[in-house]
Amino acid sequence: MLLAACGGQVERPRPVGNRPVPVRKPVAATPITPLPAAPIAPGTATAVGAGVVAGPPVYTLPIDDDAAARALLAFQASCPSLMRRPDVSGLTRGEDWAPACSAAKSVRAGEARAFFAEYFETAQIGDGKAFATGYYEPEIRGARERRRGYEVPVYARPNDLIEVDLGQFNDTLKGKKIRGRVDGRNFIPYDDRTAIETGTLAGRATVLAWAADPVDLFFLQVQGSGRLRLPDGSILRIGYDNQNGRDYTGIGALMKKRGLLAPGQSSMQGLSQWLHDHPEQGRDIMRENKSYVFFRELSGPPLGALGIVVTGGVSAAADPHFVPLGAPVLLSMDRTDASRLWIAQDTGGAIKGANRIDTFWGAGPDAEAIAGGMAARGTAFLLLPTGTIQRLTGARRFGERPDGNASPQF
């Protein structure tokens, strides 16, 4: 997923794949003010722990009819997972989603917004203060065989990488995994980025392809999937197939803290430009992000964490400890493009905590321009099946009178 970026204009767009990267400024918007709530305590592990505040009725929220229709299709695709997967956020049970999922199958054209209003209620998690970045499906130059100008390996999952589900050993560790390898009789951390880039995976991992540029491959790893444009013009699609288990470090924040970036340069495009302009220093900075992503060849569009095709402008990544994967999320942000109804169908190494959302924009120059500069702040409302909040807190819906009718203000 995309590392933290700052919205705004890119000063010196760098040509990528022999085409210019578009430059655009976001259109500002005024987000909905969050409801009064206590700040989220450091170390809070789940949505329930962060606190659940009943939000405004869905029908009062600024949901566009077209956006609702697109979100409905993504929600329908997510329903099997919503009803089957354990919800580690503590908010819902599989059966909670059954009425909405059943009704979603027969929603008629033009009634998507009414569907969400009828079957869902809104919840603010903690203080509701949201931060949204963006990601997309990048295209970089690559080749299936190593050749001059294509010398950066794109690795498949190593044969000695082991992923351990800690929840199988202790119920308090459900949802937590670690990755590493066996060394003799010990289980040790897996090789970090520096070790891998200096050749330690020789004989331990298949090379799927060879990239032309190490910086471009780094950002494709951050995105999690992408396309390789081969020398003959054909496309090889690759997708996430695991990670080395090392912590993700966002180099954008690191470079900004060190004063390396000029004003307006902290978008993805700006970071990429700097790294290309300072190759040796840039290599060392990239290696401070010890996380390393492995890929597999894809035969179709990119899939999210649910194993479902992600949709540009509709799918988003979230922390499953705070958002049930497959659930709708309404973002009201300080820029118009991010302010819409999203469906949480993905996760990301840098997407952690409450109200932290990574919006997916698809592929192509427009997607790259939006995702690369996305850094929106505002308010998030999670859409949950009607009755969930009362079950969790015993509270009535926001704006509801004791007789069950909505207050006039809504």
Side-chain angles (χ1 to χ4, degrees):
M1 303 311 166
L2 187 63
L3 46 88
C6 294
Q9 196 164 10
V10 181
E11 292 189 337
R12 294 181 297 162
R14 181 180 62 84
V16 177
N18 297 319
R19 58 173 175 77
V21 176
V23 178
R24 59 181 63 193
K25 270 191 171 292
V27 178
T30 302
I32 297 171
T33 302
L35 302 171
I40 300 172
T44 299
T46 67
V48 170
V52 180
V53 179
V58 175
Y59 72 85
T60 69
L61 298 176
I63 299 176
D64 176 80
D65 288 337
D66 290 340
R70 294 192 297 271
L72 173 61
L73 294 176
F75 174 74
Q76 289 171 334
S78 300
C79 272
S81 293
L82 277 167
M83 293 189 291
R84 181 184 67 248
R85 289 169 58 101
D87 179 4
V88 295
S89 74
L91 292 170
T92 66
R93 305 164 302 193
E95 60 265 30
D96 294 339
W97 297 95
C101 286
S102 178
K105 299 174 184 177
S106 56
V107 177
R108 293 180 293 188
E111 295 184 353
R113 191 171 186 275
F115 161 77
F116 285 109
E118 180 176 355
Y119 285 91
F120 292 89
E121 59 192 10
T122 65
Q124 177 180 295
I125 306 303
D127 59 15
K129 295 180 180 178
F131 177 58
T133 48
Y135 68 112
Y136 72 109
E137 186 185 10
E139 180 179 304
I140 68 173
R141 292 183 297 125
R144 286 190 178 273
E145 301 83 23
R146 186 172 187 174
R147 59 171 71 183
R148 184 175 181 180
Y150 297 87
E151 301 184 44
V152 185
V154 180
Y155 286 110
R157 175 176 175 162
N159 53 31
D160 61 347
L161 174 66
I162 298 173
E163 182 176 73
V164 178
D165 182 355
L166 296 179
Q168 295 182 355
F169 298 87
N170 191 314
D171 288 344
T172 64
L173 298 176
K174 284 185 177 179
K176 295 185 180 295
K177 296 180 179 180
I178 58 172
R179 299 172 180 88
R181 62 184 179 89
V182 175
D183 182 17
R185 299 179 66 179
N186 297 315
F187 185 66
I188 64 173
Y190 206 78
D191 307 37
D192 65 11
R193 177 176 294 275
T194 299
I196 291 171
E197 290 184 351
T198 52
T200 61
L201 291 189
R204 296 161 56 195
T206 300
V207 178
L208 289 179
W210 298 85
D213 186 285
V215 175
D216 287 349
L217 178 60
F218 177 88
F219 282 110
L220 191 149
Q221 288 186 311
V222 172
Q223 302 299 321
S225 64
R227 309 176 184 190
L228 301 183
R229 175 71 67 174
L230 305 181
D232 64 1
S234 62
I235 292 292
L236 170 63
R237 296 183 96 154
I238 57 175
Y240 177 91
D241 195 30
N242 222 299
Q243 181 255 7
N244 64 344
R246 300 290 186 139
D247 288 340
Y248 176 91
T249 297
I251 66 168
L254 185 153
M255 294 168 68
K256 192 172 182 180
K257 183 178 181 179
R258 295 177 185 175
L260 298 176
L261 302 175
Q265 199 180 9
S266 51
S267 68
M268 183 193 67
Q269 293 91 338
L271 299 184
S272 178
Q273 179 71 62
W274 192 95
L275 294 170
H276 279 95
D277 289 346
H278 306 82
E280 292 189 8
Q281 191 177 0
R283 178 200 61 203
D284 293 340
I285 287 174
M286 288 188 289
R287 287 180 176 176
E288 292 191 53
N289 176 21
K290 296 182 180 182
S291 172
Y292 197 94
V293 171
F294 306 110
F295 295 100
R296 60 188 174 91
E297 186 171 347
L298 298 179
S299 58
L303 306 178
L306 292 179
I308 297 169
V309 174
V310 287
T311 306
V314 178
S315 302
D319 185 338
H321 292 90
F322 293 89
V323 178
L325 285 187
V329 180
L330 188 281
L331 292 183
S332 176
M333 311 301 281
D334 58 4
R335 48 188 289 172
T336 57
D337 46 11
S339 299
R340 64 180 71 179
L341 190 61
W342 299 87
I343 305 296
Q345 295 180 307
D346 206 357
T347 60
I351 313 305
K352 301 297 182 184
N355 306 307
R356 177 69 174 92
I357 304 294
D358 206 19
T359 55
F360 178 65
W361 295 95
D366 287 343
E368 181 177 359
I370 296 172
M374 177 60 67
R377 298 184 183 276
T379 304
F381 289 112
L382 180 58
L383 272 63
L384 298 174
T386 300
T388 303
I389 297 173
Q390 186 172 7
R391 176 175 59 79
L392 291 171
T393 68
R396 293 187 299 272
R397 287 181 294 174
F398 181 77
E400 186 176 79
R401 298 200 303 259
D403 61 7
N405 295 317
S407 299
Q409 71 225 55
F410 296 110

